[in-house]
Amino acid sequence: MQAPEHSLRITRPDDWHLHLRDGDALRWTVPWSAAQFARAIVMPNLKPPVVDTAQALAYRDRVLAARPPGSDFEPLMTLYLTDRTAAQEIARARASGAVHGVKLYPAGATTNSDSGVTDLRLVRPVLEAMQREGMPLLVHGEVTDPEVDVFDREAVFIERHLQSIRRDFPALKIVLEHITTSHAVDFVLAHDARDARGAPLLGATLTAHHLLHSRNAMFRGGLRPHYYCLPVLKRESHRRRLLDAACSGDPRFFLGTDSAPHARGAKEADCGCAGCFSAMHALELYAQAFEQAGCLSRLEAFASHFGADFYGLPRNRDSIELRRQPWSVPDSLPYLDTRIVPVDAGTELGWRAVCDAASQQQA
Ligand code: DOR
Ligand code: ZN
């Protein structure tokens, strides 16, 4: 048997799905992501949401201003699709060079999704414009129908809505975000169409927490709100399919942390918020998942190649080192004037990313 590697150097990764929040939170969230990732697709579900190009550019400036000195972290902005989004906005967004996707939240599906789409028929002209402009549609794939079991919402969304979007807009680039089920894996695998550059027209992001945990994590010895996110964790058989997809070397599956910070009090509450904070140790969590699955050699392409290829952006040229150096995830960290609990708080991870000094978190 081969001795285990003690160090691993990979192309610097990108995070293709990230929540940075806004205002004072940026001074805290941006350095964490900048320490590990070169770029990130930044989600637009602020209060109020980022609905047009002007707002996306202003938000981009706020993110850039929150970078640590010397950091070249690049935020890739997104627009929040609403019932009222104008089709003409897509050309403006494309021309800005700063907007890389439009996010579809079914209204009410998750955190700050109240302004989301109530009826997909209303946004068909926008989807047509996106198809024309080569602007990716980033999908939170869950139905909001209260009759549908919370664990079935992704599968039902695919069946009721995504199948027809895929069929009606065959050249639209689509990312099914933070997938959680075998149904989502099957849906992606069933569509192999490519764009003019040979990149997939349909892809999916996978979070570290969905690769590492089944829904049991939410109930281990009691109710564990820091494992509550949306789409909610699913049963073990789904987790295994996600891990297989991540480890398959198929370029349609790539890294998106969905790191979604909420202050401790907002999660440990009568009605706790959905979202797991993983930006501080994202690469370490992915390395843990890939190593447990025996496919560490596949981590680099998943984390650092496939997402850039999908979005038609150059792969990063610099690299990051991971060392085999067991460490414990802190129980909590300072966050604004309160604290935050990272995902897998208190547990031991086997790998530690050696982060660029310029981007080190001061907190
Ligand atoms: O768990 C989640 N948290 N899922 C989402 O879709 C949104 C996110 C957030 O913004 O907190
Ligand atoms: Zn998200």
Side-chain angles (χ1 to χ4, degrees):
M1 208 174 108
Q2 241 183 328
E5 299 285 346
H6 289 283
S7 166
L8 185 67
R9 184 167 281 283
I10 63 170
T11 304
R12 181 174 285 276
D14 303 300
D15 185 350
W16 301 100
H17 185 126
L18 175 65
H19 298 268
L20 290 173
R21 310 306 188 204
D22 202 359
D24 292 342
L26 291 175
R27 295 256 161 234
W28 189 87
T29 55
V30 173
W32 281 121
S33 291
Q36 298 200 339
F37 298 102
R39 297 168 289 197
I41 287 277
V42 180
M43 288 295 129
N45 62 334
L46 307 181
K47 289 187 252 177
V50 179
V51 295
D52 62 32
T53 309
Q55 290 172 4
L57 292 173
Y59 182 32
R60 180 173 182 272
D61 286 344
R62 297 195 294 279
V63 173
L64 291 173
R67 293 186 302 183
S71 167
D72 58 359
F73 176 72
E74 191 186 350
L76 308 171
M77 309 315 288
T78 59
L79 298 188
Y80 185 119
L81 187 61
T82 76
D83 290 350
R84 289 169 305 283
T85 302
Q88 304 89 288
E89 190 59 38
I90 302 305
R92 269 196 291 277
R94 178 46 93 208
S96 76
V99 176
H100 294 264
V102 175
K103 181 71 188 275
L104 164 62
Y105 288 107
T110 186
T111 311
N112 299 341
S113 62
D114 312 350
S115 316
V117 175
T118 60
D119 182 340
L120 279 162
R121 284 172 297 192
L122 298 172
V123 297
R124 289 182 73 91
V126 185
L127 299 184
E128 259 155 43
M130 289 170 63
Q131 176 169 249
R132 211 168 40 242
E133 297 284 342
M135 176 67 79
L137 176 70
L138 316 182
V139 181
H140 183 108
E142 287 193 288
V143 290
T144 53
D145 181 347
E147 299 290 307
V148 176
D149 190 281
V150 69
F151 292 100
D152 295 335
R153 288 184 182 176
E154 183 175 274
V156 174
F157 182 90
I158 292 169
E159 202 180 285
R160 283 193 195 163
H161 303 297
L162 203 53
Q163 298 275 16
S164 56
I165 298 178
R166 183 63 299 169
R167 187 191 59 231
D168 296 350
F169 302 94
L172 178 64
K173 282 191 80 97
I174 300 176
V175 184
L176 186 50
E177 301 286 352
H178 41 53
I179 60 171
T180 61
T181 59
S182 59
H183 309 86
V185 173
D186 290 339
F187 179 76
V188 173
L189 290 176
H191 295 85
D192 200 19
R194 307 271 159 157
D195 65 16
R197 291 177 296 99
L201 278 165
L202 176 65
T205 52
L206 288 148
T207 78
H209 45 284
H210 288 101
L211 292 177
L212 285 166
H213 300 292
S214 75
R215 62 193 185 184
N216 282 1
M218 283 188 298
F219 306 106
R220 190 167 30 84
L223 189 58
R224 305 230 174 218
H226 300 288
Y227 287 101
Y228 173 57
C229 63
L230 287 170
V232 74
L233 296 171
K234 303 297 192 301
R235 64 169 64 243
E236 177 64 8
S237 54
H238 291 295
R239 185 187 76 88
R240 290 191 174 279
R241 278 304 302 286
L242 302 179
L243 207 46
D244 287 349
C247 288
S248 65
D250 187 316
R252 290 171 289 185
F253 299 101
F254 47 88
L255 183 156
T257 63
D258 198 19
S259 178
H262 291 279
R264 173 174 223 157
K267 291 199 58 81
E268 298 172 8
D270 289 344
C271 185
C273 294
C276 295
F277 174 65
S278 61
M280 71 159 293
H281 51 339
L283 257 191
E284 290 93 334
L285 293 169
Y286 282 106
Q288 186 94 355
F290 275 65
E291 181 157 59
Q292 280 169 9
C295 65
L296 204 50
S297 62
R298 293 271 166 87
L299 178 65
E300 181 178 37
F302 171 84
S304 313
H305 298 164
F306 296 156
D309 298 350
F310 180 91
Y311 278 91
L313 294 168
R315 294 179 183 179
N316 297 314
R317 298 160 73 102
D318 52 342
S319 63
I320 189 167
E321 187 189 356
L322 281 154
R323 285 200 192 129
R324 189 182 297 283
Q325 183 186 310
W327 64 291
S328 287
V329 180
D331 289 332
S332 71
L333 301 160
Y335 179 57
L336 300 168
D337 55 358
T338 167
R339 298 194 73 81
I340 192 167
V341 178
V343 74
D344 282 342
T347 65
E348 188 171 277
L349 296 177
W351 291 90
R352 189 77 162 134
V354 183
C355 293
D356 168 14
S359 301
Q360 281 290 4
Q361 171 65 231
Q362 311 86 357

